[in-house]
Amino acid sequence: MKSLSGKPLRNAKALVRKFALANFMLAAGYIAILIAIPALRLPLNSWAPLITIISSCYTIFMWRQERKHAA
């Protein structure tokens, strides 16, 4: 398994659980926002930044994990 930078990862099997949990949490966050938009009648200027924040946190988490476990 290789990281986004192309470097191989040390002990890639140990990262599977972390990556799966991160992917699940990302999906849960998106679903929560998509349900809240019509239910709470949120305007675009309130939910668009939430999606950006969730995506940014996910990207930073994945980048840190890959960097931490790069060979």
Side-chain angles (χ1 to χ4, degrees), residues 25-47:
M25 295 306 291
L26 178 70
Y30 283 155
I31 290 170
I33 288 175
L34 291 175
I35 290 172
I37 290 169
L40 301 175
R41 297 182 183 167
L42 297 175
L44 177 66
N45 64 353
S46 67
W47 59 265

Side-chain angles (χ1 to χ4, degrees), residues 1 6 10 15 17 24 41 43 49 56 58 63-64 70:
M1 184 175 182
R10 289 181 287 128
L15 289 175
R17 183 170 184 230
F24 176 76
R41 297 182 183 167
S56 300
Y58 172 79
W63 174 73
R64 287 179 59 117

Side-chain angles (χ1 to χ4, degrees), residues 37-68:
I37 290 169
L40 301 175
R41 297 182 183 167
L42 297 175
L44 177 66
N45 64 353
S46 67
W47 59 265
L50 291 175
I51 291 177
T52 304
I53 291 168
I54 289 173
S55 299
S56 300
C57 291
Y58 172 79
T59 303
I60 291 168
F61 173 79
M62 297 298 270
W63 174 73
R64 287 179 59 117
Q65 290 301 316
E66 287 182 354
R67 196 178 86 193
K68 188 167 128 183

